[in-house]
Amino acid sequence: LHKFAGGNDQIDNMSRLTVFLKDYPAGSCYKSTIYYLQCGEYPNVWRRFDHGAIKNMDKYGQITPPEVPLINKRPTALFIGTEDKFATIENNKWLAAQLNQDVLVWNQTYDLDHLSFSLASDMTFFSQDIVNLLNQYSTAKSSSPLDTIATI
C-alpha cells in the first residue's frame, strides 16, 4: 500500500488508516479497480473502460476503447500531491494541458502523497482551499460552508 498510494507517518495521521481500510473498497467496485489499472496502460491517453476486443466492438464500434472526451464546461480543480505516485505531477500536467484553461479554476500542488488527501494530519488544504472552492462555485445559497458541502 505504501509503495502504491503512500501513507507517510511524517505527514499522515496513520491511526485513520485502519478506519479508511476497514470497509475498503466500499463505494467502489471491482470494475472501478480494474479501470484504474487500465488507465496506466495507455500513456498520455485517457480511455473508456476496456471490455476486451469483442465487447468493445459491440459497445464502442471499435476494438480499443475510445478516448474520454476532456471537453468540460464545469469549473475544474486539480489538487496535486508532490509525493503522489498514483496521480503524478506529470499526469496532472498532461491533464491540465488537455483541459480548457477557462474551466481550470484551481491547479495547486501540496506536499502530500495519494493517501494524504484523506489521512493528512494537517487538513488545512481541505478546510481552506476545498471549502472555499465549494463555496465559490456552489449554486446553493447558504450561510454555512458545511451546509454548502452537504448540498453538493
Side-chain angles (χ1 to χ4, degrees), residues 79-147:
F79 293 82
I80 304 160
T82 57
E83 303 302 316
D84 195 333
K85 293 173 182 66
F86 185 62
T88 65
I89 290 175
E90 293 77 24
N91 295 142
N92 281 282
K93 283 181 182 177
W94 175 85
L95 178 58
Q98 306 307 305
L99 294 170
N100 293 332
Q101 294 306 300
D102 58 330
V103 301
L104 187 58
V105 298
W106 191 263
N107 186 357
Q108 185 68 42
T109 57
Y110 299 86
D111 290 329
L112 300 171
D113 58 37
H114 200 75
L115 280 178
S116 297
F117 285 98
S118 299
L119 303 177
S121 297
D122 178 3
M123 296 294 282
T124 53
F125 77 91
F126 182 86
S127 61
Q128 294 173 2
D129 298 341
I130 293 176
V131 170
N132 287 339
L133 282 169
L134 287 172
N135 286 332
Q136 183 178 353
Y137 291 97
S138 172
T139 57
K141 302 293 182 213
S142 171
S143 60
S144 167
L146 294 178
D147 290 342

Side-chain angles (χ1 to χ4, degrees), residues 19-30 32-33 36:
V19 174
F20 183 80
L21 293 176
K22 182 175 85 57
D23 296 314
Y24 183 81
S28 185
C29 64
Y30 177 75
S32 294
T33 304
Y36 295 143

